[in-house]
């Protein structure tokens, strides 16, 4: 599956305590990001202050992929949790 492949990098973002299980599950397999006021108790690896920062991060990722050229970007269906 794509999830287990070396070319896939799961990114999990969440904004409350219901996301902590996801942060814990992906801690060593992907990137976990808490959105909103951060607490020292979160299992997320990184944090963003608000949804505007989420938008900037996603735009940066897409812009970087576009610069690498169309052959470097493989289209896959998006999965929302």
């Amino acid at each position: 599956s794509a999830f287990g492949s070396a070319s896939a990098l799961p990114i999990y973002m969440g904004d409350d305590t219901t996301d902590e299980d996801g942060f814990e599950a992906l801690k060593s397999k992907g990137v976990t990001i808490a959105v909103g006021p951060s607490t020292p108790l979160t299992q997320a690896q990184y944090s963003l202050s608000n949804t505007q920062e989420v938008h900037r991060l996603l735009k940066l990722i897409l812009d970087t992929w576009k610069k690498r050229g169309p052959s470097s970007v493989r289209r896959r269906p998006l999965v929302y949790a």
Side-chain angles (χ1 to χ4, degrees):
S1 80
F3 183 75
S5 77
S7 64
L9 177 66
I11 300 173
Y12 187 101
M13 295 184 202
D15 65 353
D16 63 35
T17 57
T18 63
D19 297 301
E20 291 300 321
D21 289 339
F23 295 153
E24 180 65 27
L26 290 176
K27 183 165 47 176
S28 62
K29 299 175 183 123
V31 177
T32 57
I33 304 169
V35 180
S38 62
T39 66
L41 301 177
T42 187
Q43 296 295 311
Q45 298 160 310
Y46 303 97
S47 65
L48 296 172
S49 297
N50 52 49
T51 55
Q52 290 80 15
E53 287 188 358
V54 170
H55 177 79
R56 284 196 297 268
L57 174 62
L58 294 175
K59 184 176 181 334
L60 174 67
I61 291 169
L62 289 174
D63 289 347
T64 301
W65 281 341
K66 287 177 186 176
K67 287 179 186 175
R68 292 177 60 192
S71 63
S72 70
V73 178
R74 296 190 346 206
R75 302 240 181 242
R76 298 178 191 260
L78 294 175
V79 177
Y80 297 93

